[in-house]
Amino acid sequence: MNDAVFRDNVVVLTGASAGIGRELALQLAGRGAWLALAARDVGRLEEVAEECRERGGRALVAPTDVGEEAQCRRLIDRTMAEYGGVDTLVNNAGIGMWARFEEITDLSIFERIIRVNYLGSVYCTHYALPHLKRNRGRIVGVSSLTGKTGVPTRSAYAASKHAMAGFFDSLRIELMGSGVTVTMVYPGFVATGIRERAFGADGRPLGEGNSPVREDEVMTVEECARLIERAAAERRRELVMTRRAKVGMWLKLLAPRMVDRIARDAIERGK
Ligand SMILES: NC(=O)c1ccc[n+]([C@@H]2O[C@H](COP(=O)([O-])OP(=O)(O)OC[C@H]3O[C@@H](n4cnc5c(N)ncnc54)[C@H](OP(=O)(O)O)[C@@H]3O)[C@@H](O)[C@H]2O)c1
C-alpha cells in the first residue's frame, strides 16, 4: 500500500466517536489525513480529535446526527469551509439490534436503523459527491456480513445493510469514468460496544456487559480499521473481512441452506 495516499487527504468520517470509526480516525491521522469527525457525542469527538492532532493529523469536530438530512449537509459545508475540499467520505456511523422479529414490541427499531445506517449514508454521499468528483475521490461504505446474507436477530439491521449495498453498488456504476471509486466493506464480528448499544426487542439498548458476543474472541478494532484503510487506499471494489465469510460467499451460490445454518450457529455461539 502507498503510505502517502492519505497525507493531506480530507476525510469525512461518520461514526468517529467510538469503535471502528474512532480507531480509523486515529490510524488515518497517523498518515497525515485532514479529518472531519462526525457523530452525536461532542465530548467523545473532542477527545478523538485531540488524539488525532497528537498523531500528526488535522481534525475538525462536526457534531452530526446522520439521520437528519440537514445535519449531513451542514457536515459537508463545514468541511468545505475548513479544508476547501473533500477527498474521501467514509460512511461508517451505524446502530445495531439483537432481537428475533417475532419478539420485537417496538417497531420503531426498523425506522431508526434504516434512518441511520442507510439514509445517513445516502444523505452524506449526496452532499459530498460534487466535491468528491472534483477531487476524483473515494467513497467507503461500512456495511456488515449481514449486508451479504440474512442473519437471525438482525432483521432490521440486515435490511439496512442490504439497502446500503444496493445503493452503493448502483452508485459505483453511475460513477464509472468519473474518477470517484466506491469501496464497500463487510466486517464480521468486531470487538466494539455496538452490541451493548444495540436495540433489544423493546427498543432499548442491551446495556453495558450484556453483549451476546464473545468480544475477546472476535476481530480487534485495530485490525478492522487497518483493513478498511488499505481497501480504501487501493480503491478496492469490496472487502469481505473474514475467511469464513469469503468461503460463505461461494457456498451461498452452491448450498445456500448451509450458509443459513452457519449464520444461525454463529449467532448462537456468539462468534
Ligand atoms: N462491531 C461489529 O461487530 C460490526 C460488524 C459489522 C459491521 N459493523 C459496522 O461498523 C460500523 C461501526 O460500528 P462500531 O462497531 O464501531 O459501532 P459503535 O462502537 O457502536 O460506534 C458507532 C458509531 O456510530 C455513531 N452513530 C450512531 N448513531 C449515529 C447517528 N445517528 N449519527 C451519527 N453518528 C452515529 C456513534 O456515535 P454517537 O453515538 O456519538 O453518535 C459511534 O461513533 C457500523 O456501521 C456497524 O454497522 C460493525
Side-chain angles (χ1 to χ4, degrees), residues 26-237:
L26 298 180
Q27 291 190 17
L28 289 170
R31 305 264 185 217
W34 297 4
L35 292 145
L37 304 171
R40 294 164 303 173
D41 187 327
V42 192
R44 284 209 191 169
L45 282 180
E46 297 283 3
E47 287 170 19
V48 177
E50 201 42 51
E51 282 187 74
C52 286
R53 291 179 198 117
E54 282 163 14
R55 290 185 181 212
R58 285 178 66 179
L60 163 72
V61 168
T64 310
D65 181 339
V66 297
E68 300 292 331
E69 182 186 338
Q71 295 193 31
C72 296
R73 184 174 57 213
R74 201 167 64 217
L75 164 65
I76 303 302
D77 288 349
R78 282 200 60 197
T79 307
M80 289 302 294
E82 179 78 13
Y83 297 136
V86 181
D87 298 300
T88 304
L89 168 65
V90 184
N91 292 291
N92 166 74
I95 47 176
M97 66 178 289
W98 200 286
R100 293 174 67 85
F101 178 63
E102 61 189 356
E103 291 166 357
I104 292 174
T105 51
D106 179 358
L107 277 177
S108 77
I109 290 173
F110 279 76
E111 194 179 329
R112 286 188 276 166
I113 288 180
I114 279 284
R115 182 162 281 287
V116 174
N117 297 6
Y118 169 58
L119 290 176
S121 300
V122 172
Y123 298 149
C124 291
T125 302
H126 174 80
Y127 290 107
L129 192 54
H131 312 299
L132 288 163
K133 284 178 86 171
R134 217 168 295 126
N135 292 1
R136 302 176 74 78
R138 293 171 166 82
I139 299 172
V140 179
V142 181
S143 179
S144 151
L145 294 182
T146 65
K148 288 283 190 190
T149 197
V151 174
T153 72
R154 308 296 179 79
S155 50
Y157 183 73
S160 73
K161 295 298 188 181
H162 273 71
M164 278 181 82
F167 169 71
F168 282 116
D169 285 348
S170 304
L171 183 66
R172 180 188 297 113
I173 303 169
E174 291 182 10
L175 290 173
M176 274 177 176
S178 71
V180 180
T181 49
V182 176
T183 300
M184 284 300 288
V185 300
Y186 296 92
F189 289 132
V190 182
T192 70
I194 193 168
R195 258 80 50 184
E196 297 182 342
R197 286 186 274 279
F199 298 129
D202 58 1
R204 291 206 299 265
L206 296 188
E208 213 166 304
N210 290 331
S211 169
V213 164
R214 298 187 202 173
E215 302 288 348
D216 52 345
E217 294 183 29
V218 300
M219 183 181 279
T220 64
V221 78
E222 289 83 3
E223 184 181 1
C224 179
R226 250 191 321 271
L227 292 172
I228 294 174
E229 187 202 331
R230 191 189 314 153
E234 293 172 353
R235 296 184 181 272
R236 297 236 331 241
R237 175 192 171 84

Side-chain angles (χ1 to χ4, degrees), residues 16-33:
S17 64
I20 297 167
R22 173 184 176 278
E23 179 59 31
L24 187 58
L26 298 180
Q27 291 190 17
L28 289 170
R31 305 264 185 217

